[in-house]
Amino acid sequence: MYIQINPDLEMSIYEQLSMQIMIGVIRKDLQDGDMLPSVRSLAADLGVNMHTVNKSYHELEKKGLIQIIPKSGAVIRTTNRKLSEEEKNRTLDSLKPIIVEALVLGMNEEEILSLAQSIIQNLKEE
């Protein structure tokens, strides 16, 4: 698993870490049952505070994407996972402002859908 933190991004470091772990799952670099590095070792490798890695792991656990096993580590959990209505609504709430802004700025529905497909394809391939 290759993770690179970019301090110039507006996204917080823990969000970047969570995003890169999720992208690892999308690309199948990380699969169900894979152990994530310990909080201490990943923090040392990335040169970030242990609390940052811990926050990322707990956010991923809340989303049901990893399981934190005390004194053992964090494990990827992706099988038999169905998106709940709450998760669907949260996704809708996150996407809606971006789509509204794109429409107001002049993009049409087809361009927005094409852009979304391009992003999904890039996430799977890179």
Side-chain angles (χ1 to χ4, degrees):
M1 178 172 68
Y2 178 73
I3 294 177
Q4 185 173 12
I5 300 300
N6 183 348
D8 296 329
L9 290 180
E10 288 184 28
M11 183 184 289
S12 68
I13 292 173
Y14 89 89
E15 290 173 320
Q16 289 182 48
L17 179 56
S18 297
M19 180 71 69
Q20 291 192 35
I21 291 170
M22 289 189 287
I23 290 171
V25 170
I26 291 168
R27 293 182 183 154
K28 304 204 183 304
D29 295 335
L30 295 171
Q31 299 188 5
D32 190 66
D34 285 351
M35 291 290 295
L36 292 174
S38 72
V39 169
R40 184 180 302 272
S41 73
L42 187 55
D45 289 347
L46 297 174
V48 300
N49 190 300
M50 287 187 345
H51 296 294
T52 301
V53 175
N54 199 37
K55 185 173 182 177
S56 174
Y57 280 12
H58 281 285
E59 288 295 318
L60 291 170
E61 186 179 41
K62 277 187 201 170
K63 293 177 181 178
L65 298 174
I66 68 170
Q67 178 183 6
I68 297 174
I69 302 169
K71 298 184 180 179
S72 294
V75 181
I76 299 291
R77 293 289 179 224
T78 58
T79 57
N80 299 325
R81 185 161 189 339
K82 289 180 96 175
L83 201 62
S84 70
E85 283 303 312
E86 181 182 331
E87 290 168 325
K88 286 180 187 176
N89 289 334
R90 192 173 55 236
T91 302
L92 175 69
D93 291 343
S94 296
L95 288 175
K96 193 172 183 178
I98 295 168
I99 292 171
V100 166
E101 185 175 337
L103 289 168
V104 168
L105 292 175
M107 289 181 77
N108 64 37
E109 184 178 336
E110 192 173 286
E111 290 171 323
I112 293 169
L113 291 173
S114 175
L115 183 62
Q117 288 173 334
S118 172
I119 292 169
I120 291 168
Q121 193 64 36
N122 284 339
L123 287 172
K124 289 180 176 178
E125 291 176 354
E126 287 182 4

